[in-house]
Amino acid sequence: MTMVEDRPRVALTERAARRIAEIVAGEPGAEALRVSVEGGGCSGFQYKFDLVSGREPDDLVIEREGAVVLIDEMSVGYMEGSEIDFVDELIGASFKIQNPNATAACGCGTSFSI
């Protein structure tokens, strides 16, 4: 996949950035939201969200609206071209990742396959 230089590897919506900043501000010691991809879930891979206090040298760092998101290099490979959003629906509020690399996803949107 060829990347356009001005296009981010992983994008963060304004809505998600605001919510992340709110969550991190309410957690003592937390500095960022770490998003990672792990094996598991009903579709083969699942997203994991953790509040963390520090960065790793190979992290992709996304900063917007006072929010910081960290993604390790292995997870970036699975998420290349994705967009992280925050949605508030009738079934609940959550972070949603629109991943163009996913060939299938579960109904709740937290696991996917490639």
Side-chain angles (χ1 to χ4, degrees), residues 10-13 15-25 27 29-36 47-56 59-63 66-72 79 84-86 94-97:
V10 177
L12 182 65
T13 67
R15 194 172 36 232
R18 283 194 313 262
R19 185 64 184 128
I20 291 165
E22 290 171 3
I23 292 169
V24 170
E27 290 292 325
E31 296 175 10
L33 178 71
R34 176 171 297 283
V35 180
S36 56
Y47 299 110
K48 183 177 178 192
F49 300 91
D50 293 300
L51 295 175
V52 296
S53 61
R55 302 174 184 188
E56 298 298 325
D59 283 342
L60 171 65
V61 179
I62 305 166
E63 296 180 287
V68 178
V69 174
L70 307 173
I71 306 172
D72 65 271
M79 296 177 64
I84 302 170
D85 194 10
F86 182 77
S94 64
F95 290 101
K96 297 275 183 172
I97 298 178

